[in-house]
Amino acid sequence: MSSNSQWSSRVGFILASAGSAIGLGAIWKFPFWAGANGGAAFIIPYIIFTFTIGVVLVMAEVAIGRKGRGSVVTALRSVGGPWYALMGALGVLTSFVILSYYSVVGGWCVAYLWDAVGGNVTISDPQILKDHFGNLVSNGYLNVGWHFAFLTLTCAVVIGGVEAGIERVSKYLMPMLFILMLAIIVRGLTLPGAWGGVEYLFNFQWENLTSNAILNAMGFTFFSLSLGGGILVTYGSYLPGKTSVPHSSLWIAVLAIQAAILAGLMIMPAVFAFGMEPNGGPGLVFITVPMIFSHVPFGSIFAFFFYVCLLVAALTSAVSLLEVVTAFMQNEWNLSRKKAVTINWVALFLLGSVSALSFGVWSDFTVGGRNFFDLLDYVCTNFMMPFGGLVIATLAGWKAWPVVREQFRIGNNFGPGILKVFHFILAFLAPILVLVAFYQGLFG
Ligand code: PFF
């Protein structure tokens, strides 16, 4: 999508933004983060954050993008001035860094799709599946190779234009992903012992509600809504002038949350039924889902379709991350789209390879117990994205509130009450929550 083009319709915008939101965050990350953070004690704050600061920040990002047009840097400069342009550049950096390690996980999806084509993923022995996943991630050549494959796919889509390819494909495959997930959930829930997983997800226990669980829930809210890295500013800049920003944003939030909850329901019951640990780490999805497939008739066919859909979900998110950086280079550095994507291809391959190797030969390099991959994820999710949210909140809530309010009003008949609520969230609630979370994360 070139920097002066527009979405063909409101639905096109919602689908693209939901495509960005729904990805590996919901399906890969949510189950194992919920598992590591006490289940419901993570999920409930996540839902609360999504429907308070999350959705209003989505609205603000889209509004600023539509008003400012161009890349995130261009838009923030035009709405907020030169300092905000600098903050926009930080958003570009955030998206770039996220994409570098996101692409490694995207590579795992390609690898499992490849296995599914060969009929090799419907295995019921948890040990074999664990070893298989461990082998994939610790073998440097394999891990870097699959990362390269996923990154190349992402670059090809972004060079080819977003609306023609990815929009059309996701229109069919995203609903199919939901249907497949529902089918897997039904099978998973009918396994003996599965109910423990549902209880784990929804049974709230006060002692699990640690400050860390809350910090992680807030970080995940930003991650799952694609907030704070300039994506929705960039996508908002392609939004036709008359579309209602609040309505579209609510849709994005609802779709994102339901994807995560469905993924939790898909994974956790199986974790309990097969006697695994809920805090099984990044391999959780790649180990439990194949086990469920081994318990259904025609499992390998299901597996094939599942990994196709998962790959598309990952791709639509990766594309949005790359679009932020590409739009920036086009607008600010006057590069052609092709050149911008090519530069990113090389740079992301190199940085992502360090993440890929951090599960194998470079696993000894750790900071605070985290390997390079985990470190990037931790910093981006818990600090850089919320910081991006803080920037948007201060711009929309203070400096540019009249402009943002006008954008919110387009296509809606809001009374003053609801606008005041939005204003309060942007000017006070979001900044305070982000600052408290930072404090807890650094000194708590
Ligand atoms: N929201 C995407 C997901 O949950 O998979 C990932 C993502 C996209 C994160 C864009 C951050 C971002 F800026």
Side-chain angles (χ1 to χ4, degrees), residues 324-345:
V324 170
V325 192
T326 306
F328 161 74
M329 289 182 167
Q330 277 185 291
N331 271 277
E332 297 288 319
W333 295 353
N334 275 329
L335 291 182
S336 71
R337 171 162 282 256
K338 222 180 189 161
K339 238 191 206 146
V341 173
T342 310
I343 292 172
N344 279 301
W345 189 34

Side-chain angles (χ1 to χ4, degrees), residues 3 65 68-75 233-235 237-238 327 331:
S3 55
R69 300 286 181 197
S71 73
V72 55
V73 173
T74 327
V233 179
T234 309
Y235 275 18
S237 78
Y238 308 140
N331 271 277

Side-chain angles (χ1 to χ4, degrees), residues 20-26 95 98 102 223-224 226 229 231 317 320-321 385:
S20 166
I22 301 170
L24 296 172
S95 284
I98 293 175
Y102 200 85
F223 196 88
S224 88
S226 302
I231 280 151
S317 304
S320 73
L321 287 160
M385 300 185 84

Side-chain angles (χ1 to χ4, degrees), residues 17-29 61 91 94-95 98-99 101-102 220-232 256 313-314 316-318 320-322 324 381 385:
S17 306
S20 166
I22 301 170
L24 296 172
I27 297 160
W28 157 72
K29 192 174 200 177
E61 279 207 16
T94 305
S95 284
I98 293 175
L99 183 52
Y101 67 83
Y102 200 85
F220 184 73
T221 304
F222 282 87
F223 196 88
S224 88
L225 292 174
S226 302
L227 274 171
I231 280 151
L232 293 157
T316 47
S317 304
S320 73
L321 287 160
L322 186 54
V324 170
T381 307
M385 300 185 84

